[in-house]
Amino acid sequence: MFTPLLFALLLPAFSALLVYLVGGRSVRAAAAVVLLTSILDLTAILTVVPRVLSEGEYLESYYWMPMLGSPLTLFVDGVSLSMAIVTLLLIISAVLFSVGYMEEREGLREYYALMALLTVGLVGVFITSNLMVFYFCWEFMLIPTYFIIGGWGYRESYRAAFKFFIFTHAGAVAVLLGVGAVYMLTGTLDMIEARTLLMASPQEILRWIFIAFTLGFAVKMAVVPVHMWLPDAHAEAPAPMSALLSGVIIEAGAYAILRISLGMVLPSISDATLTSRFLYGLSIFGVISAFYGAMTALAENDIKRIVAYSSISHMGYALFGLSLFPLAEGVVGVVLHLVNHAASKGLLFLNAGAIMKQTGLRDIREMGGLASKMPLTAVSTAISSLSIAGIPAFACFISEFLIFMGGFQAGVADSFYYITTALMVVATVFSLAYVLRLFWRVFLEESKVEEVERESIYMALPMAMLSVVVVVLGIWPGPIIELISAAQLG
Amino acid sequence: MIPPSPLSLDGLSPWLVWLLPLASSILVPFVDRVGSRVRDGFVIVVGVITLILAASLIPEAHSAVGGPEGVEWIPVVDVKLGVLVDPLSILFANLIALIGLVVLIYSLSYMAHEEGLARYYFFMLLFIGSMIGLVMADNFLQLFIFWEMVGLCSYALVSFWYKRPEAVKAGVKVFIMTKVGDIALLAGILILYANLNTLSYSEIFQRYGEVATPILTVVGMLMLVGAFVKSAQLPLHTWLYSAMEAPTSVSCLLHGATMVKAGVYLVARTHPIFSSIPLWLNSTVWLGALTAFIGATLALHTPDIKGVPAYSTVSQIGFMMAALGVSPHPIGWFAGLFHMISHAFFQGLGFLAIGSIIHQLGTRDMRKMGGLRRDMPFTFALCIVVILARSGIPPFCSFFSKGLIASILLSSGDICLILLIYSATAVTFAYSYRFLVLTFAGEKSPYLKRIRVHEAPLLMCLSSSVLAVGSAVFGFFGNPLARFLGVNYAFRLESFFSLESLMFMTTLLIGGLPIYLIYQRRIIPPSRVRSGALSILDRLLENGYYFDSLYGGVAGGVMALSSWLRRELEIKVFERVPYLVASSVMALARFSLWNFEAALTRLIHLTAIATARHSVKIRRVHSGALPHFVLAATMGFLFLCILLLLTV
């Protein structure tokens, strides 16, 4: 019997080994192995789509560690499936991009092996409902990330990587506490079982579980004020890794809040005022992050840090959307926003990487006039940055629209949300401002850079591919929304 | 995006009329690879087909009630992609398609020697498609999407010459300022959705009564802000002048004839919903009238030849807004739309004629011009048509449309409003006349003597003439238009000779007189007007009533706040905190390690000393003699035995 999820989880781990075997001879072969693995992985994941569309979820259960009392469950529903798909799409783009982007670097066999290992963690987080497996993958993605940032990053890369590791690991401690508490209370590690069993648990502990989980996930999500690790890590990482950091890793935080804090713990908290207070908290921190990220992006001059701050801003949108739980518009909007943001921001980081590689510059004040020299990057940056600014016909607009829609919907019942939603709507002007400034300084006016070569085909291809994805998601979001809303949430 | 019932072209044309230009725009870069002639031909063919499709909708205007069935688009909120076929949407669609085609033909010649034409035509076709999509939308989401897309096209086309810093800066300003209006519109749309759970026009028009009045007022005002910003009305009108950095053909299509009318369209479309709200009506009429006046004064002062039609557009849309808001009765609504079309003709023509002048002269400064009438006789004739039509000299179109607006406002009875509108009318003639004198009359300026000026190329003249004919005769089509829009209005011949017409004409004369004296006869030198008592006014107009200074201040403030946040909070606090935490943890670790080690050493030390001291006493037990051991062992054994006995 073909078991697509187990296959998707384990294949990259084995391919890491294969990369080591072939990578000694040819770096291209190593890249090809990882690429092929990711494509196979994506295919395996895609085979589940019809099942999920018709039944709402898909589950594989394996006998594992009987002592813990829970089987190893690999589980996808609409939400996790769409996250897994976009993750793999981004990994494929990142690997392909690396072929051109990293060509002059050393030790690429290890790089691609780490990429393959990273895939295990990134995909694993989304395709399981077992808290232990989830936690394992959650932590496991740190290790390859640490070495990739440190080993192939810029400037003080190990320092940035260290900061990233310590911060997210500190967050993970809170998550582990939560996992332990849930196991203690319910005797199961399965999220879906735990959700019903937690109902009978003492309220006093539940609220602390919620806080522990949310705090831990918020660190990974880089919500202001625990965003401190993000700008350094995103800016100093090599571009493909930045794309994955922004496109998948921080979004895993948002996904986990939705799946665990809100989906599993919150429904058991019977005190309605407490619940709404928690959600208010998410809403307020969402607004703060959205504004803070956008304004720092507006003032920043380092091209990758601008994009990094923009990620903080967008996680603010996601957090705000999460605060609308369990409103359908809000939840679907958030997940769609995660998908759209992954594609758009991943693309924007690749664009930034291409610009940095071709010009050797980071400061946007030193650039200018690149539109005529790197036309493809210019078009693709225009697409990704307009999507980031929430301009229609590009992906992020639809999801922001849904989130705002949910926000005002919530405002009818509770006027608090009228205010926060209005603020979020205002924040989009700031997004447009930093995006236009970036585009202006990099691509327009007279060129200040003398000789710029065109980007290589391996860099152009993933950029073009993601550009198409961003436009298609913006024009025809129906199928992906259908997939997301097949999930039973809230 | 295929409509569900592809039975005949009739069912498809409301879709194709905007989908065709949109889809073709994507093909432009590829067609451009084949050859520039092929690209030009392709673009024109698309323009023609779009116009034919739009025209084919005219007979359907009254037949279809809700338009063709929509297509499922965004499932979770049940938004359908749909088109609305009604007189209002078809009117706008035809206007856009017509002016679009004229401008495309004009561009063939006007833009012929530019670089990046694939980009130009891509955005032009994208704009035409989006603009028609905007008016054909049958729900607010679709409207908003196209609303933003035309804004995007506007940005891209204003910054068309992206190597010129002014053009880039203007583009950013235009985009950001209109975005401010867009978010107001977005909020309005979403609040309406939150209360009615639908975005579709037809349902909203049926059920808006369910929304509480305060909320409906908020929604109305938010949408009005969106409409006013898009249509360059007070107080956020300044972007339109900045948009003049665009090629003139773009200014004609986007910033004269169509895109700035999106606000008019929105107000006209939502009129039935909000016309019961006094605040909404009053804001529309008062801000409109005020804009009509202020825009006209700005046009009177500008030395920039493109500033005249730009501020004129601001002012004329003010007339339309005033008409739309003047009263709930439908004549005002009709007058606004009537003038909207008149304006599209004469202002479009104004831009195209000015484009020909700039094309020949290479400057926009009117002070360098003069005496052009001999070199460019045809353009001169076109400009005379513009002037007559814009000011409202009979029988040109504006006499009918603007005259109608003036007479409606006259009947409203509010003296301030009447004063505003009539003085705006007077100033309109004044600035038009001034423009004509400055550019065409008198002797050739020194600048013009240095360069050779020809009449504009044939293609530009021909395409402009279409609009000239429109400007000349459209006024007589008021009655058919009223019938088409379903408004009970009929223009009667005797109203030519009414008191209102007389007042209107007198107003024009009053406006024209100072210009005649100052510029044509030069009896009063312009410098004297600028100095003296009027110098304050001069400075006020020079700075555009300080609106831009205000917005520049706001933008600067936001930038300053952002840099402050980055400098003080991000770098000084958030960047440092992790290192502070890390170093204090390290310090603590070092400190405790040192202390712990010291303590441990001391403990061992003390133990050793204590052991040494006490060992003297203990040593006695260890006497070394066997009997002592045996004794002890025995005693111990006995002790155990006793314990055992006791427990049994």
Side-chain angles (χ1 to χ4, degrees), chain A residues 159 227-228 292 295 300 305 309 329 372 392 397 401 404-405 408-409 428 430 440 445 475-476 478, chain B residues 1 73 77 141 144-145 148 162 168 183 186 190 193-194 197 199 561-562 566 569-570 574-575 579:
Chain A
R159 190 171 152 132
H227 68 284
M228 290 168 269
Y292 186 82
M295 290 181 86
E300 183 61 63
R305 287 181 84 91
Y309 284 122
E329 284 93 344
S372 53
F397 165 74
F401 188 83
F404 298 155
M405 215 169 191
F408 283 116
Q409 194 94 340
T428 56
F430 287 84
W440 175 0
E445 294 195 2
I475 293 175
W476 204 245
Chain B
M1 270 195 261
W73 186 29
V77 287
L141 175 58
F144 183 76
I145 286 180
E148 292 258 277
Y162 67 86
V168 176
I183 60 166
L186 177 65
L190 289 176
Y193 172 81
N197 265 316
L199 286 170
L561 181 65
S562 301
R566 172 169 168 265
L569 200 59
E570 182 66 17
F574 285 133
E575 292 258 294
Y579 294 109

Side-chain angles (χ1 to χ4, degrees), chain A residues 51-297:
Chain A
R51 291 274 285 275
V52 171
L53 275 177
S54 61
E55 289 159 35
E57 56 184 50
Y58 171 78
L59 202 127
E60 285 172 21
S61 191
Y62 301 96
Y63 181 75
W64 181 61
M65 286 211 266
M67 193 181 78
L68 286 174
S70 295
L72 187 153
T73 35
L74 296 178
F75 163 92
V76 285
D77 60 4
V79 172
S80 38
L81 194 58
S82 29
M83 290 304 295
I85 290 171
V86 76
T87 299
L88 282 163
L89 207 62
L90 217 53
I91 290 172
I92 292 170
S93 314
V95 170
L96 196 56
F97 190 82
S98 303
V99 178
Y101 182 76
M102 307 286 276
E103 56 191 354
E104 291 139 18
R105 297 301 192 84
E106 296 285 310
L108 287 181
R109 180 176 67 165
E110 284 73 22
Y111 173 81
Y112 287 114
L114 286 170
M115 273 285 184
L117 280 182
L118 183 59
T119 312
V120 178
L122 295 183
V123 175
V125 159
F126 296 119
I127 61 167
T128 180
S129 69
N130 184 307
L131 283 169
M132 203 63 212
V133 181
F134 171 83
Y135 184 77
F136 174 78
C137 293
W138 183 262
E139 285 286 76
F140 187 71
M141 65 168 109
L142 293 187
I143 302 159
T145 311
Y146 172 80
F147 285 110
I148 291 177
I149 298 178
W152 289 272
Y154 300 94
R155 298 191 289 207
E156 291 181 312
S157 58
Y158 269 108
R159 190 171 152 132
F162 181 74
K163 205 165 154 186
F164 161 72
F165 200 110
I166 292 293
F167 257 91
T168 49
H169 188 67
V173 171
V175 174
L176 188 60
L177 276 178
V179 172
V182 169
Y183 184 62
M184 186 188 82
L185 288 173
T186 62
T188 178
L189 280 170
D190 192 82
M191 294 177 201
I192 301 146
E193 275 177 41
R195 182 171 157 185
T196 39
L197 289 173
L198 276 176
M199 299 279 181
S201 307
Q203 292 292 320
E204 197 52 45
I205 304 177
L206 278 177
R207 73 178 60 167
W208 290 108
I209 295 177
F210 178 84
I211 291 173
F213 272 131
T214 313
L215 220 66
F217 297 142
V219 173
K220 194 126 186 173
M221 206 178 156
V223 174
V224 176
V226 284
H227 68 284
M228 290 168 269
W229 64 270
L230 185 139
D232 275 346
H234 281 58
E236 306 316 330
M241 191 61 233
S242 309
L244 290 177
L245 271 171
S246 227
V248 186
I249 292 182
I250 61 172
E251 302 200 331
Y255 167 81
I257 289 185
L258 175 64
R259 174 72 74 197
I260 295 174
S261 301
L262 297 175
M264 189 177 87
V265 186
L266 196 72
S268 324
I269 299 178
S270 56
D271 186 351
T273 44
L274 191 68
T275 313
S276 66
R277 211 171 291 163
F278 280 143
L279 293 178
Y280 279 3
L282 297 188
S283 194
I284 290 168
F285 279 106
V287 172
I288 292 175
S289 301
F291 271 98
Y292 186 82
M295 290 181 86
T296 37

Side-chain angles (χ1 to χ4, degrees), chain A residues 159 163 167 224-225 227-228 231-232 291-292 295-296 298-301 305 309 328-329 332 369 371-372 386 389-394 397-398 401-402 404-405 408-409 412 418 425-426 428-430 432-433 436-437 439-440 443-446 474-478 481-482 485, chain B residues 1 71-77 79 81 140-141 144-146 148-149 152 155 159 162-166 168-169 171-172 175-176 179-180 183-184 186-191 193-195 197 199 215 558-559 561-566 569-571 573-575 577-579 582:
Chain A
R159 190 171 152 132
K163 205 165 154 186
F167 257 91
V224 176
H227 68 284
M228 290 168 269
D232 275 346
F291 271 98
Y292 186 82
M295 290 181 86
T296 37
L298 192 59
E300 183 61 63
N301 291 315
R305 287 181 84 91
Y309 284 122
E329 284 93 344
V332 174
S372 53
L386 286 169
I391 299 295
F394 303 105
F397 165 74
I398 301 283
F401 188 83
L402 283 177
F404 298 155
M405 215 169 191
F408 283 116
Q409 194 94 340
V412 174
Y418 263 136
V425 173
V426 173
T428 56
V429 180
F430 287 84
L432 182 65
L436 288 184
R437 178 169 171 270
F439 196 76
W440 175 0
F443 290 107
L444 306 180
E445 294 195 2
E446 281 301 332
I475 293 175
W476 204 245
I481 292 181
E482 220 154 282
S485 47
Chain B
M1 270 195 261
V71 187
E72 188 72 39
W73 186 29
I74 299 182
V76 71
V77 287
V79 175
L81 200 65
F140 274 115
L141 175 58
F144 183 76
I145 286 180
F146 288 123
E148 292 258 277
M149 275 177 69
L152 173 62
Y155 163 69
S159 300
Y162 67 86
K163 292 200 170 158
R164 284 174 43 194
E166 312 88 54
V168 176
K169 206 174 163 191
V172 171
F175 206 177
I176 298 274
K179 179 79 184 176
V180 171
I183 60 166
L186 177 65
I189 290 171
L190 289 176
I191 293 175
Y193 172 81
N195 285 283
N197 265 316
L199 286 170
I215 293 179
V558 168
M559 281 308 286
L561 181 65
S562 301
S563 341
W564 181 85
L565 263 184
R566 172 169 168 265
L569 200 59
E570 182 66 17
I571 292 179
V573 180
F574 285 133
E575 292 258 294
V577 163
Y579 294 109

